[in-house]
Amino acid sequence: MIQTLAPDLRCICAPNPSPMTEKGTNTYLLGRTDIALIDPGPKDTKHLEAILTALSPGQRISHILVTHSHHDHSGLVPELAQATGAPVYGFGPSHAGRSALMDSLAQDNTLAGGEGIDPDFAPDVILPDLAQIAGTGWNLTAHWTPGHMANHLSFEWHEGRALFTGDIVMGWASSLISPPDGDVGQFFTSLDRLESVNADILFAGHGAPIHAPRERIEWLRDHRTERLRAAQAALTRDPQSLGALIPQLYADVPQKMWPAAARNLLATLIELENRGVCQSDPAPGLNAHFRLP
């Protein structure tokens, strides 16, 4: 189903609903003739057909823009690029943008596979922070907004006073932050960046448009700050595993979601260690123990 959100802006929701994607991944088509497609979505033949049949006579997909390379956003890239001939734009491959700490943690094989990383993603055109992308009737600025994933971009649409926020700000839930690709410190910095743009509306990778951007960003900041506070309060001088901390901190979350919660908690504890109020043994990881320093 194609939904018109604004003049020159349409959305097709991919058929991949799940507890992590809500109704599915939003694919945005921006423009009248030269179409900027934002987030192809998962590898799915029906979704590819829906995108191609959405094009009217005289329209072509001229740019394929990817907010980040989780499979539910970038999985369809090869097929869409082949079908349209359009170049693919992104911040870089899946490891691009990681901090030195997260790069070192990536050597821990137990951390792999947290949230469907696309290891083959390789954009044709690298977009550095604040890069400009333009087509007939539209102009975008790329903002590097890591935190949910290190190579995450958001796109400022100048004509619509809007931001396409991928998964850094979603319309239905807070973002999963899963090390080594997710980073709580980067997440806070990205929220500040998005807030400074002062957009009128946010178009997220999942969920409905966000018509009160500042309030939503403030809620996300407060939510993550409360998670930090609660995790610090749960720490003692005696080392505790993630398995021991999860029931204390995520008692309100269904147990089937605890594996995802463990990765969120690990990201929280890494940030607390960066701030000097937590100590891990050995290095931070899913099998580490954590205590007050």
Side-chain angles (χ1 to χ4, degrees), residues 2-12 26-39 54 59 65 136-138 140 155-165 201-204 208-211:
I2 304 173
Q3 184 180 9
T4 298
L5 301 177
D8 301 334
L9 178 64
R10 294 170 292 165
C11 177
I12 304 173
N26 291 327
T27 294
Y28 295 100
L29 287 80
L30 174 65
R32 294 185 184 181
T33 54
D34 291 348
I35 304 297
L37 184 140
I38 300 172
D39 281 346
Q59 291 185 335
L65 308 176
T136 304
W138 55 264
L140 296 168
F155 296 102
E156 180 183 358
W157 177 28
H158 296 277
E159 293 82 5
R161 285 196 51 78
L163 272 166
F164 298 93
T165 57
I201 189 169
L202 307 181
F203 296 111
I210 299 164
H211 293 279

Side-chain angles (χ1 to χ4, degrees), residues 149-293:
M149 189 167 176
N151 72 346
H152 196 290
L153 290 172
S154 298
F155 296 102
E156 180 183 358
W157 177 28
H158 296 277
E159 293 82 5
R161 285 196 51 78
L163 272 166
F164 298 93
T165 57
D167 285 2
I168 196 75
V169 177
M170 297 192 295
W172 70 289
S174 60
S175 300
L176 174 64
I177 300 180
S178 176
D181 302 287
D183 185 311
V184 171
Q186 288 184 331
F187 182 78
F188 280 118
T189 300
S190 292
L191 290 183
D192 292 344
R193 163 68 72 87
L194 293 176
E195 192 172 51
S196 72
V197 173
N198 197 29
D200 293 333
I201 189 169
L202 307 181
F203 296 111
H206 306 277
I210 299 164
H211 293 279
R214 186 170 295 275
E215 288 82 352
R216 181 64 177 165
I217 291 169
E218 287 178 354
W219 182 88
L220 288 169
R221 187 183 289 114
D222 290 346
H223 171 76
R224 195 62 59 176
T225 299
E226 175 57 25
R227 286 295 189 195
L228 287 166
R229 185 207 62 76
Q232 183 176 351
L235 293 174
T236 66
R237 298 291 180 185
D238 296 320
Q240 298 180 80
S241 66
L242 290 175
L245 289 165
I246 285 289
Q248 302 176 55
L249 296 168
Y250 287 88
D252 58 335
V253 173
Q255 289 191 21
K256 66 180 181 180
M257 298 300 293
W258 281 7
R263 301 190 78 97
N264 257 325
L265 178 55
L266 175 59
T268 299
L269 293 167
I270 290 172
E271 177 62 15
L272 290 176
E273 187 159 358
N274 287 341
R275 298 182 182 191
V277 294
C278 173
Q279 186 170 326
S280 60
D281 182 28
L286 293 173
N287 298 319
H289 288 73
F290 302 87
R291 63 178 178 84
L292 291 172

Side-chain angles (χ1 to χ4, degrees), residues 108-132:
D108 179 358
N109 291 330
T110 66
L111 283 178
E115 204 195 353
I117 304 297
D118 183 351
D120 300 321
F121 179 70
D124 301 308
V125 181
I126 300 295
L127 293 176
D129 189 28
L130 299 179
Q132 300 285 315

